[in-house]
């Protein structure tokens, strides 16, 4: 309330503090802000330009929609005032109004157009921002403002060619802020429009070649030029020039420049894929940079650049990156690798190897649907069952802390445990595994404190399946009949029942899983496999052949006994 | 659009806070803490752009910061602003402060907070860049200070 009182006071010093307080403490949601609307209105008509500017500033910072509606005509009047100080503030205030109340944009279009011809750079800057905002909101206004493209080109030319102007010079370039803004507006105006793009081509080529790129400011202007060239319908020579500039940025020592170069390459990797591929080597090197932001950008770009031809080399790089990358990027890397492997895998064995590698390095960070996807992949490649199960067994022996890996390994050992015992396998060196060792491994998983409940579930079911394939083993299963975890307890009790009452059906129930059809929805598959592992023993239900996995298009998959 | 401007020292104490978008009081404090946490971990030779934390808003927002001696100047912007342009803007702002306060240091920010706000008002208004010419900004601030002083003299 003090603020309101101070704002209403006629003295400048009090007004100043009052407005400052209002901006800091009040916001558009509070009712007190309505009280100052009248004060602002009076101050906007004040003869002193600084009082007017205070009012404009406050309105721009915290004006609510009602306030904006009330005061919009005033702002429009001020836009045509003679004072350039006021005009530029009024222009930005108009931007705020347009953001809050979209319909009022119509009110400001005429005034905005006339402001472009001002000499004062501040006013032109404000006008450009206002026009940008208007064009972004409304496509009709965009059409109308296309006619201003020649004027804008003229202003830019003036800025680029003109000699040293001490007022606006920043490190040798005249008013880079204004140049950047105009380039951005040209980008919006030229998008999808041939005529406007033609008008800008010369100018863009000129800016691109004449700007000095040794300083940050020069690079800022060049960067904006490149973005504009790539967005409008420019001629191909210009596009090549733009991509070359980006390539130069990538080799720059300054990390900032490399960061923004990669950001812009990300935007064009969809359209100019080949051009970006040329710089693949540099991008992959950036993966090894110490800077986390640069690494993140390099990762996204590398994942976008993976294609059928370079999949092997890229995957090597990505896997070595995975082992050394910061923890927040791990899950993104892992899922990116999986996607790339799925689309471009040159062979099944390579695919499985890659996934296993990821699971051993970063197992804790992969997404949940990876496990069912991997299992489905393994069942599909029947010739590699032996190889896969040997590899998984060995991985399990060395480390049981990575949950997804352990889950997949348990499942595979359960399904193909007999292949482990035979020991013959063409792809890897034959190792005879004794059946006790296999059971020991599963028991270790069950008892380890590192295993999550779902992992234990996997291990228990796997032990069950091995009972038909390798040996009879009732003891482990019955221990878990009194386990605290409800899921495990239920499974253990059911399996026990399978041994005792339904022993004649045990072999049929625990047959090998058929090949799982790949559904278009990855999530459905996850549910498929989880449900088929929980064998529901319901006495009294009609007898049907076991393990009948009926997949229809939706989610209902039942395994009935 | 610039969402927020934060200045804090090496220990995380905020020296100037300006939000151009409404946030509740405790949210503001949390944002400051989180930003300091992110920015202080950075080495001096890494790039000046950070992807924003989860609090100040989703994927569109970046933190652009500069570290001068004991102070961090952090601008939180969205994708409509040019990153390198904002870096230059921070430089212009600091140079303006230097001109107005003569060899500005942290104490100036603490004891003359209102003056710093007035200078900032001339540079950024409502989240948008208003004026980038250092001389122009300094001239305007000088005139306003003179007006204030003359009023105080007239009163006495």
């Amino acid at each position: 309330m003090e603020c309101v009182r101070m704002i209403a006071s006629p003295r400048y010093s009090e007004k100043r503090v009052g407005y400052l307080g209002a901006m800091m403490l009040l916001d558009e949601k509070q009712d007190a802000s309505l009280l100052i609307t009248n004060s602002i209105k009076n101050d906007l008509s004040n003869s002193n330009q600084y009082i007017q500017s205070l009012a404009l500033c406050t309105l721009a910072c915290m004006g609510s929609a009602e306030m904006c509606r009330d005061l919009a005509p005033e702002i429009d009047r001020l836009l045509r005032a003679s004072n350039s100080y006021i005009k530029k503030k009024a222009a930005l205030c108009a931007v705020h109004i347009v953001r809050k109340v979209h319909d009022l944009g119509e009110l400001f279009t005429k005034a905005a157009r006339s402001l472009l011809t001002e000499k004062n750079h501040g006013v032109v800057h404000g006008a450009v921002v206002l026009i940008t905002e208007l064009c972004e909101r409304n496509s009709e206004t965009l059409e109308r403002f296309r006619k201003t493209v020649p004027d804008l080109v003229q202003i830019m030319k003036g800025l680029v060619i003109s000699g040293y102007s001490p007022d606006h010079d920043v490190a040798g370039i005249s008013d880079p802020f204004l140049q950047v803004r105009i380039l951005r507006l040209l980008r919006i105006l030229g998008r999808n429009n041939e005529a406007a793009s033609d008008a800008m081509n010369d100018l863009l080529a000129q800016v691109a070649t004449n700007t000095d790129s040794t300083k940050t400011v020069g690079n800022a202007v060049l960067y904006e030029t490149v973005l504009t060239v790539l967005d409008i319908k420019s001629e191909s020579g210009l596009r090549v020039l733009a991509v070359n500039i980006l390539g130069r940025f990538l080799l720059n020592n300054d990390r900032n420049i490399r960061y923004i170069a990669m950001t812009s390459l990300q935007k064009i990797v969809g359209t100019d894929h080949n051009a970006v591929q040329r710089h693949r080597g540099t991008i992959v090197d950036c993966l090894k940079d110490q800077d986390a932001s640069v690494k993140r950008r390099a990762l996204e770009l590398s994942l976008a650049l993976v294609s059928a031809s370079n999949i092997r080399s890229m995957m090597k790089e990505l896997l070595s990156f995975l082992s050394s990358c910061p923890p927040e990027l791990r899950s993104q890397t892992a899922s990116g690798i999986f996607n790339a492997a799925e689309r471009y895998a040159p062979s099944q064995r390579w695919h499985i190897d890659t996934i296993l590698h990821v699971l051993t390095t970063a197992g804790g960070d992969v997404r949940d649907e990876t496990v069912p996807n991997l299992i489905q992949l393994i069942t599909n490649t029947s010739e590699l069952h032996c190889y896969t199960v040997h590899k998984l067994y060995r991985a399990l022996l060395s480390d049981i802390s990575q949950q997804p890996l352990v889950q997949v390994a348990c499942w595979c050992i359960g399904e193909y445990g007999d292949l482990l015992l035979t020991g013959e396998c063409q792809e890897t060196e034959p190792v005879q595994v004794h059946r006790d060792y296999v059971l020991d491994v599963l028991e270790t998983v069950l008892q380890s404190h590192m295993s999550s409940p779902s992992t234990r579930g996997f291990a228990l079911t796997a032990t069950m399946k091995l009972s038909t394939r390798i040996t009879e083993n009732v003891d482990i299963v019955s221990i878990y009949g009194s386990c605290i975890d409800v899921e495990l307890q239920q499974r253990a009790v059911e399996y026990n029942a399978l041994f005792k009452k339904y022993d004649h059906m045990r072999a049929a129930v625990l047959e090998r899983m058929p090949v799982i059809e790949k559904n278009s929805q990855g999530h459905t598959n996850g549910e498929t496999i989880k449900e088929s592992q929980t064998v529901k023993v319901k006495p009294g239900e009609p007898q049907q052949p076991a393990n009948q996995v009926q997949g229809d298009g939706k989610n209902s998959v039942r395994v009935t006994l | 659009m610039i969402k927020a401007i934060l200045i804090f020292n090496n220990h995380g104490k905020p020296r100037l806070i300006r939000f151009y978008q409404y946030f509740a009081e405790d949210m503001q404090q949390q944002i400051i803490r989180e930003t300091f946490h992110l920015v202080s971990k950075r080495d001096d030779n890494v790039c000046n752009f950070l992807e924003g934390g989860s609090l100040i808003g989703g994927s569109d927002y970046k933190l652009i910061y500069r570290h001068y001696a004991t102070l961090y100047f952090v601008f939180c912007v969205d994708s409509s602003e040019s990153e390198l342009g904002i870096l230059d803007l921070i430089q212009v702002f600091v140079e303006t402060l230097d001109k107005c306060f003569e060899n500005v240091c942290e104490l100036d920010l603490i004891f003359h907070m209102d003056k710093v706000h007035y200078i900032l008002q001339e540079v950024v208004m409502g989240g948008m860049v208003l004026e980038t010419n250092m001389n122009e900004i300094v001239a305007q601030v000088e005139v306003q200070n003179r007006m204030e002083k003359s009023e105080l003299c007239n009163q006495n």
Side-chain angles (χ1 to χ4, degrees), chain A residues 419-440:
Chain A
L419 292 174
L420 263 182
L421 291 188
T422 55
E424 43 176 72
C425 185
Q426 283 141 340
E427 312 255 357
T428 169
E429 70 259 21
V431 161
Q432 196 92 14
V433 181
H434 197 258
R435 61 183 176 196
D436 286 340
Y437 293 151
V438 180
L439 290 172
D440 279 341

Side-chain angles (χ1 to χ4, degrees), chain A residues 534-545:
Chain A
T534 316
V535 177
K536 300 265 181 260
V537 179
K538 287 192 174 60
E541 287 221 348
Q543 316 267 330
Q544 275 174 26

Side-chain angles (χ1 to χ4, degrees), chain B residues 90-106:
Chain B
I90 301 182
Q91 184 69 21
V92 167
F93 179 48
V94 172
E95 280 177 17
T96 317
L97 285 178
D98 201 32
K99 254 214 176 138
C100 290
F101 283 108
E102 251 130 84
N103 272 336
V104 66
C105 64
E106 197 176 336

